[in-house]
Amino acid sequence: VVFTLSLPRSISTADGSALVKLGNTTIICGIKAELANPTTDAPDKGYIVPNVDLPPLCSSRFRPGPPGEQAQAASQFIADVIESSDLIKTEDLCIERGKLCWVLYCDIMCLDYDGNILDACIIALLAALKNTQLPEVAVNKETCLPEVDFEKRQRLRIHRHPVGASFCVFDDSILIVDPTAEEESLSTAHLTVVTDEEGRLCSVHKPGGTPLSGEKLQECINRATARQREIHKLINKVLDSVKTAQ
C-alpha cells in the first residue's frame, strides 16, 4: 500500500494540520485551539474533541445530513485511542488551574474513501498534533482576562505516538493488511490494533464478526508494532523537513 504524508499550509485557520494518503484513502486533519474554562470536576485539565467526517464527496456510499453510524463510531474510536494511549496529557492543556485551559478541536475529514479509515485517521491526527503550535497565554491578575501572545508559540508535548494497523479476516484464517473498501465488505471480520513506540498495546477494536485465534491476534499485534516504528520514523522525517524549510 502506498503511504503519503504531508503537512499542508492550506488550512490557514488551523493551528496544526496534516494530509495522509493510505492507498486511495485520503484524510485531512485540522487542529483548532480555543480558550475555555476547565470543568469543576477537572480544574487542572483541558479538552481534546475529535470529530471524524465522512462527507458525500469522499464516496457515493455516504449521504448528506447528520453524521452516519460509521462516522460516529470512528469519532468514538479516535477519542478512546487518545485517552488510552496518553498521546497528550490533558493537564498540559491547562493554563491556570480552575480558570483557563485549551480546547483542541480535531476535525478529521475524509476526502477520498477506499477503506481502512481508522488507520488513516490516527496517522493524520498524530501528525497534525505534532505540527500544532499554540501561542503563549497568561491571565492578567488585575483584569482576570487572558492575554495571548501570537508571536511566541510552542509545540504541543506529545507523550506517546500511537499508530493503528487494520486487518480483514477471511475464512477465519487468512489475514489481509490495509484492506480496501471492497475487501472490507467481503471479509468475515475486521480488526484494528493500535500500539505505541514502546510496543505497548493501546487499543484493540474488533466490531463483531467471526472469532480470531490467539495465535492470529498475536500475529496482528506483531505486525502493528512493526508498522508503528515505520510510521513514527516517517512522521518525524516529514516534520524535520518542514522545520528545515522554515
Side-chain angles (χ1 to χ4, degrees), residues 16 22 32 35 38 113 145 183 197 200 225:
L22 200 57
K32 183 63 177 175
L35 295 171
Y113 179 87
L145 295 175
E183 289 168 343
E197 64 268 37
R200 189 170 65 109
T225 303

Side-chain angles (χ1 to χ4, degrees), residues 17 56 86 101 115 123 200 227:
S17 58
D86 285 334
C101 70
I123 297 170
R200 189 170 65 109
R227 159 172 278 198

Side-chain angles (χ1 to χ4, degrees), residues 71-85:
Q72 294 182 51
S75 296
Q76 185 59 53
F77 172 77
I78 296 298
D80 293 341
V81 169
I82 292 172
E83 183 176 357
S84 64
S85 66

Side-chain angles (χ1 to χ4, degrees), residues 40-108:
T40 53
D41 295 336
D44 59 342
K45 296 182 179 180
Y47 316 84
I48 305 176
V49 184
N51 180 63
V52 177
D53 188 12
L54 301 175
L57 68 87
C58 73
S59 173
S60 58
R61 70 176 61 201
F62 304 117
R63 296 287 180 265
E69 182 179 345
Q70 187 172 358
Q72 294 182 51
S75 296
Q76 185 59 53
F77 172 77
I78 296 298
D80 293 341
V81 169
I82 292 172
E83 183 176 357
S84 64
S85 66
D86 285 334
L87 194 162
I88 289 180
K89 293 187 182 298
T90 49
E91 292 87 347
D92 294 343
L93 300 177
C94 182
I95 299 169
E96 186 163 332
R97 180 183 173 88
K99 293 183 179 180
L100 197 64
C101 70
W102 285 111
V103 181
L104 300 182
Y105 292 100
C106 309
D107 292 312
I108 306 168

